[in-house]
Amino acid sequence: MRSLLARACSALAVLTVVTGATAPATASATPSAPAPAPGAAPRAPFNCAGDILLSAGLTASQLYRGVAVTGGLSFAPIGPASALYDAIGLNPADRYTYAIRAQGPGWNLLRIDDAGVVTDLGTVGLPTPVLGLGAYTAGAFDTAGNFYVAGGSDNLLQRIDVNTRTFTTITLSQNLGGVADFTYRGGYLWGVSATGALTRIDPVSGTVTVYAGVVPASATGYGGAFTYGNGDLGFLDNAGLLRRISVTDPLTPVFRLLSTQTTVAVSGNVDATSCFVAATDLGVVKTGPATVRPGGTVTYRLRVTNHGPGPSSGWTLTDQIPAGLTDAATTASGCSVTGGSLSCTGGALAVGAHTDVTVTGTAGPGTTTFVNTANVRGNDPDPNPANDSSTTTTRVADLTITKRQEGPATVDPGAKVTYTITVTNDGPLAYTAGDPASITDDISRLLDDARYNGDARATSGTVRYDNPELFWSGALAPGASATVTFSVTVNARTFGNLKLDNTVVSDVPGSNCPEGSRDARCTTHGKVKAKDKDKAERPVEDTLKDTAAHTAKGPRD
């Protein structure tokens, strides 16, 4: 994005370009160098092997080639600095980069080759943008070789034919509102303003659609925009931050911020373009444990492999950490875990080569299954997107405990009440003698109205009673159950609260009855008939008085 200082200094820029009056030859399917300008040797087009090109400079423009490295991009200069230009775009028809010289009138069209040599193709006759910085800052080619440029703030889009150096003005449905650069993908031009709003421009109808809050706002503005080979969008701000966004469908887009990379801030007035041609099949395979106990560590390995046919110029790996997996972390270079999402960026990957990323987390309580999917996004065109994602499932140990009171819920004094506790291993892990399943049943809330009969039994494992608690532990294979039974006898005369409430607990990870559980299967509720308590607690002398009074009255009529 151009600054006011850049405009003021542009007239002082030293012009180090090769001048020529003729337009380049008509583009062909096989790129070839255009006829050289007088006195200039033929120059080669860009090879488009994952080229991410950036121009920057306040008084003169320097072109850079970006190379993907672990965690970001590394930029190296291409040739010498030249006259100040902006709105760069790479023409897929001839693979040369074009730009608009940042000086009017006429706004000359420039062509830049793979060595960074700039050829001035002459004036296009573009009008000076009225709003914003009064210069053309945004530029991009469509797949047919049409060069679109705009001032970034007004509602005029210019379509340039680089062969004839003529242009057509397209009136947009609204002002662009500070879009400093845009890029082409899927029939639309896409740009981001400093507020983080993404703007979609239909170059045919002129319709402008704004999507708020797609990327974080930038204090310096997003001066560079380009398209990755797989269709992702890249937006580079003037401070060196690169945001990568996936777009599921250009017509009804759903956006996802894939990564944020910190690159080297070369200088102000950033602009960008790209060219990806060679196909590269990147795939990811994710592996993890089939099972884990609650509180245990889950370790995932994500392997990114280049299956060819060409080398990969770089990639981004993402993994949304499943809910319930806490303390997720990674030590892999170029990776970070933020807001429950793993994001990694990597550099070149040769055919047949792979790289591994490990991420760990803790299985939190309340989750029975972790389903986790990783996605890789190559920078280059991908002929086989079917292997771009990989999913693994980890089941959490599951111990189900159910307690019931046999017979009626309300019992008579002196009645025997039997309790049955069923412990089931719902899998997937086996409980062993060395690492058994276990329960604890504190029956103190029964003992104010009843007495324990000392008859606890279990179908497997070991049961013991240590007043007032009953304990059981034992091995359980996946799918197996153990049943514990015991009984109490309700008091005949002396009572407590007339409630036979009882709760079983287990400190085994994965149990449905941990301490404080509200699972209804862990608790039984019984009652002792209240009328029996009234009779039992009345003093004997009161009973005799009632009998005497009844006798004195005689029988009822």
Side-chain angles (χ1 to χ4, degrees):
M1 181 174 66
R2 298 200 62 204
S3 66
L4 294 176
L5 176 61
R7 292 180 58 202
C9 297
S10 62
L12 302 177
V14 178
L15 182 62
T16 58
V17 301
V18 180
T19 59
T22 59
T26 302
S28 61
T30 302
S32 59
R43 299 291 183 176
F46 289 87
N47 61 14
C48 290
D51 289 319
I52 298 175
L53 304 177
L54 177 146
S55 67
L58 295 177
T59 59
S61 291
Q62 174 66 60
L63 189 65
Y64 297 85
R65 178 180 280 109
V67 177
V69 295
T70 300
L73 288 174
S74 175
F75 289 103
I78 305 174
S82 69
L84 194 65
Y85 56 78
D86 215 330
I88 67 172
L90 198 144
N91 186 357
D94 62 14
R95 299 187 189 174
Y96 284 89
T97 295
Y98 290 80
I100 300 298
R101 184 176 172 182
Q103 292 175 267
W107 304 102
N108 285 18
L109 179 67
L110 308 180
R111 185 183 65 232
I112 310 168
D113 64 26
D114 190 47
V117 176
V118 179
T119 300
D120 191 331
L121 301 178
T123 183
V124 179
L126 296 171
T128 297
V130 177
L131 301 178
L133 298 175
Y136 289 95
T137 62
F141 278 86
D142 64 15
T143 54
N146 295 304
F147 188 26
Y148 294 93
V149 297
S153 293
D154 58 24
N155 69 333
L156 298 180
L157 178 69
Q158 312 296 343
R159 183 177 66 238
I160 300 174
D161 184 327
V162 297
N163 295 310
T164 62
R165 296 198 307 278
T166 58
F167 71 95
T168 301
T169 298
I170 302 165
T171 301
L172 304 178
S173 61
Q174 66 182 68
N175 290 345
L176 291 180
V179 174
D181 194 18
F182 47 53
T183 185
Y184 184 84
R185 190 248 165 152
Y188 297 96
L189 299 167
W190 306 83
V192 170
S193 67
T195 65
L198 192 148
T199 297
R200 185 188 68 183
I201 307 163
D202 186 337
V204 176
S205 67
T207 301
V208 175
T209 307
V210 179
Y211 304 89
V214 175
V215 299
S218 170
T220 61
Y222 291 95
F226 63 92
T227 303
Y228 289 92
N230 70 341
D232 290 345
L233 306 179
F235 296 102
L236 187 68
D237 78 358
N238 287 284
L241 283 179
L242 173 61
R243 316 282 190 183
R244 181 169 182 166
I245 300 171
S246 66
V247 184
T248 56
D249 179 10
L251 184 61
T252 56
V254 176
F255 307 105
R256 182 185 175 195
L257 178 61
L258 298 174
S259 64
T260 297
Q261 304 172 38
T262 301
T263 67
V264 177
V266 288
S267 70
N269 196 29
V270 169
D271 200 1
T273 189
S274 63
C275 189
F276 297 85
V277 173
T280 303
D281 176 20
L282 286 187
V284 63
V285 174
K286 180 169 189 173
T287 57
T291 59
V292 66
R293 294 200 189 281
T297 298
V298 179
T299 300
Y300 296 114
R301 187 187 73 176
L302 294 71
R303 171 165 289 186
V304 177
T305 302
N306 182 0
H307 300 289
S312 168
S313 63
W315 47 272
T316 292
L317 178 69
T318 59
D319 186 352
Q320 188 66 41
I321 306 300
L325 191 66
T326 62
D327 302 322
T330 182
T331 58
S333 298
C335 298
S336 63
V337 178
T338 305
S341 180
L342 170 74
S343 177
C344 305
T345 54
L349 200 61
V351 175
H354 68 264
T355 187
D356 291 334
V357 173
T358 299
V359 60
T360 61
T362 301
T367 303
T368 58
T369 304
F370 295 113
V371 179
N372 194 205
T373 300
N375 295 275
V376 66
R377 310 282 294 186
N379 292 0
D380 312 281
D382 191 341
N384 180 30
N387 61 359
D388 289 353
S389 65
S390 179
T391 300
T392 185
T393 299
T394 300
R395 292 186 60 194
V396 182
D398 189 3
L399 188 69
T400 301
I401 301 169
T402 302
K403 181 172 184 176
R404 69 178 185 271
Q405 175 183 317
E406 307 294 350
T410 302
V411 298
D412 294 322
K416 179 181 178 180
V417 182
T418 299
Y419 295 92
T420 301
I421 305 171
T422 303
V423 185
T424 302
N425 181 3
D426 289 321
L429 299 178
Y431 294 95
T432 64
D435 185 17
S438 63
I439 62 171
T440 300
D441 193 348
D442 183 344
I443 65 172
S444 58
R445 290 195 295 168
L446 299 178
L447 298 182
D448 64 337
D449 288 293
R451 67 179 183 275
Y452 170 56
N453 292 328
D455 57 353
R457 299 289 184 272
T459 56
S460 66
T462 302
V463 62
R464 65 182 177 86
Y465 179 70
D466 186 1
N467 188 27
E469 293 179 318
L470 190 73
F471 301 93
W472 173 88
S473 65
L476 279 179
S481 297
T483 301
V484 179
T485 59
F486 71 94
S487 69
V488 298
T489 298
V490 179
N491 298 335
R493 299 185 61 84
T494 304
F495 299 95
N497 61 3
L498 297 178
K499 294 181 180 180
L500 300 177
D501 293 340
N502 186 219
T503 299
V504 62
V505 299
S506 174
D507 60 2
V508 173
S511 160
N512 66 307
C513 296
E515 191 73 39
S517 172
R518 295 185 178 182
D519 192 321
R521 293 172 293 180
C522 307
T523 301
T524 56
H525 300 283
K527 293 182 180 180
V528 178
K529 290 182 179 179
K531 64 179 181 179
D532 298 315
K533 179 179 180 183
D534 292 340
K535 289 181 180 180
E537 291 185 344
R538 295 184 68 189
V540 174
E541 57 269 23
D542 288 347
T543 303
L544 293 175
K545 289 179 181 179
D546 288 346
T547 302
H550 179 75
T551 302
K553 289 181 179 179
R556 293 182 179 179
D557 294 335

